[in-house]
Amino acid sequence: MNAHLIPHPEAAGSAALSERAARVIPGGVNSPVRAYGSVGGTPRFLVSGSGPYVTDVDGNEYVDLVASWGPALLGHAHPAVVDAVQQAAARGLGFGASVPQEAELAEEIISRMPVIERVRLVSTGTEATMTAIRIARGATRRPLIIKFAGHYHGHSDGLLAEAGSGLATLAMPGSAGVTAETAGQTLVLPYNDLTALEAAFTEHGDRIAAIIAESAAANMGVLPPLPGFTEAMIRLAHAHGALVILDEVLTGFRAGPSGFWGIEQDRVAAGVAPDLLTFGKVVGGGLPLAALGGRADLMDLLAPLGPVYQAGTLSGNPLAVAAGLTTLQHADNAAYLRLSHAADVLTGAATAALDDAGVPHRVQRAGTLFSVLFGDFPSAPRGYAEVQRQDVAAHRAFFHAMLERGVNLPPSAFEAWFVTAAHDDVALARIIEALPDAARAAAAGGAPGEGE
């Protein structure tokens, strides 16, 4: 048995499955952050979920704060979502043709975000952002894209430079297999730095097709834009004939009913808006589905109407559409109030426990998304370089202490925490009860000097 897979007694089944998977799957996982690479220990193999809880192969139940990395907005196995998927499955798993609910889901997205006039359904967030960039280049006939360090937009070749998410967890600056020519078409700038953005447009303005940015960064921990930054970014791009793509794959319909743009748009002048937006996670209700949307003139550049090609056999799959549509239909005001309440309770409780244990930290939040930065951060960090100074040893100790007490946190210091509308007072109390011991573990396990 590999040393890093030596289990606690209650994780023997997960350890055996980890070893089995490692023999046939690279790293034993099909997405890197699942490998527990930054926290160590035995990755848990989950077999079921219900409401705010998940259960592993060894029969251990955890209060879940991963929520399938966001899609389980209503909680795991929500009865209405499960019923909709079962009914869709009974009619057929896919037809290679359009189904009626595709337009209904597009209408639901547009009703929540009126800045969008057309929607194209795809299968993954990576596909959504890749397609949005293709539209931007097709519309402007320009080659360059601006992204921000620490923002993650999927694993397409041109967007992996200084990305967050798993790349931050694994401390990787980019990816092998991406050519220098491809990487050279992406300008990576520090987030929340308007001076750097202005300089990039001064030097390359007539070659920049678009800026792509997470609506609120949530792949290096949660880091919202500074007040005024989003509006200034949009105005600057438009002044130079470039487009703005807001990535709401994580924040869309989770940060709030209209994503983080729904929060942000109240702070910007009338008429200032992104050109394209991308969605994933919640929009598929837990099944593989994503979307992009925007102005009609841009979206109509897509085939079959226009010259920008995109296609997918599974795009608009009836099971995924049923799951996404039902999730959004049940994500009403009451659900968002429960989400906000759960986020309020847990951010307050985490702060109190860490303060009591003397653990330097900062809680970051964007709508109902939040994360905890371990380390000394007297003021809110502005970008990726500051976030990378956090005390990952303290997070590691905190993570395992919470896991041992029945709370499933994201296994990375660079990921958001996700509550669900099913996190009731009982579930919240279990989390709160675990926090003091975990905070003391973080105080003992933190690395001196990190985060300073």
Side-chain angles (χ1 to χ4, degrees):
M1 181 179 290
N2 295 334
H4 72 283
L5 292 180
I6 294 174
H8 296 295
E10 71 274 11
S14 285
L17 286 170
S18 291
E19 290 190 332
R20 178 182 179 182
R23 290 194 289 269
V24 291
I25 299 172
V29 295
N30 285 307
S31 190
V33 76
R34 300 175 192 172
Y36 279 26
S38 69
V39 295
T42 302
R44 298 308 196 258
F45 279 64
L46 302 182
V47 295
S48 66
S50 178
Y53 305 106
V54 291
T55 302
D56 70 16
V57 69
D58 293 285
N60 302 306
E61 182 185 77
Y62 306 89
V63 186
D64 189 30
L65 289 171
V66 178
S68 191
W69 299 104
L73 185 78
L74 305 175
H76 293 285
H78 187 277
V81 177
V82 171
D83 182 61
V85 173
Q86 288 174 336
Q87 290 189 41
R91 294 190 293 267
L93 301 183
F95 310 108
S98 297
V99 297
Q101 283 186 305
E102 290 176 77
E104 194 174 353
L105 177 55
E107 289 166 353
E108 177 68 25
I109 293 170
I110 291 169
S111 73
R112 287 170 173 256
M113 304 191 84
V115 67
I116 294 173
E117 296 176 318
R118 300 279 194 277
V119 172
R120 172 64 62 92
L121 301 181
V122 294
S123 295
T124 68
T126 293
E127 190 180 355
T129 56
M130 178 182 70
T131 304
I133 286 170
R134 188 173 297 166
I135 291 172
R137 285 183 168 137
T140 62
R141 301 189 179 187
R142 297 174 176 181
L144 300 183
I145 298 294
I146 288 175
K147 74 173 291 285
F148 296 107
H151 287 216
Y152 179 70
H153 306 291
H155 61 270
S156 60
D157 284 0
L159 295 175
L160 284 176
E162 294 191 60
S165 190
L167 286 163
T169 300
L170 300 174
M172 296 168 62
S175 174
V178 177
T179 66
E181 292 81 4
T182 297
Q185 292 188 321
T186 302
L187 307 177
V188 183
L189 303 181
Y191 187 39
N192 280 316
D193 189 334
L194 187 58
T195 300
L197 196 59
E198 290 170 339
F201 274 102
T202 297
E203 185 172 355
H204 304 286
D206 61 350
R207 301 180 66 231
I208 295 170
I211 303 169
I212 185 168
E214 290 185 64
S215 190
N219 284 286
M220 51 176 163
V222 174
L223 205 166
L226 292 176
F229 180 77
T230 299
E231 178 173 359
M233 175 182 72
I234 294 171
R235 287 186 182 279
L236 183 61
H238 288 175
H240 288 269
L243 305 181
V244 172
I245 303 164
L246 284 190
D247 181 342
E248 293 255 15
V249 168
L250 273 176
T251 55
F253 316 119
R254 173 164 275 283
S258 300
F260 195 76
W261 172 248
I263 298 170
E264 191 83 319
Q265 66 182 349
D266 293 334
R267 305 168 183 164
V268 304
V272 177
D275 304 285
L276 297 165
L277 296 100
T278 62
F279 306 93
K281 313 296 185 186
V282 171
V283 78
L287 291 183
L289 187 142
L292 62 148
R295 298 198 327 253
D297 63 308
L298 294 173
M299 293 298 295
D300 286 349
L301 292 173
L302 286 170
L305 294 179
V308 177
Y309 193 75
Q310 179 276 329
T313 299
L314 298 179
S315 296
N317 173 268
L319 274 65
V321 169
L325 178 59
T326 306
T327 295
L328 290 179
Q329 289 173 335
H330 283 76
D332 55 15
N333 288 335
Y336 285 106
L337 285 173
R338 292 194 297 273
L339 287 159
S340 293
H341 172 71
D344 289 344
V345 169
L346 292 185
T347 53
T351 295
L354 291 166
D355 281 345
D356 288 346
V359 179
H361 73 284
R362 186 176 187 89
V363 174
Q364 295 284 107
R365 187 162 171 182
T368 68
L369 284 89
F370 60 95
S371 64
V372 178
L373 289 176
F374 289 88
D376 187 11
F377 293 93
S379 59
R382 296 167 58 96
Y384 194 32
E386 294 168 82
V387 168
Q388 287 180 304
R389 295 190 289 104
Q390 67 178 298
D391 185 347
V392 294
H395 171 267
R396 185 181 303 117
F398 184 84
F399 168 85
H400 281 290
M402 293 293 281
L403 191 68
E404 290 169 5
R405 288 157 183 78
V407 180
N408 185 45
L409 295 179
S412 167
F414 296 92
E415 300 288 356
W417 299 16
F418 300 95
V419 293
T420 78
H423 277 75
D424 57 15
D425 290 343
V426 174
L428 295 175
R430 285 180 56 176
I431 300 169
I432 293 167
E433 185 179 1
L435 283 168
D437 285 345
R440 287 189 286 271
E450 289 195 28
E452 296 178 358

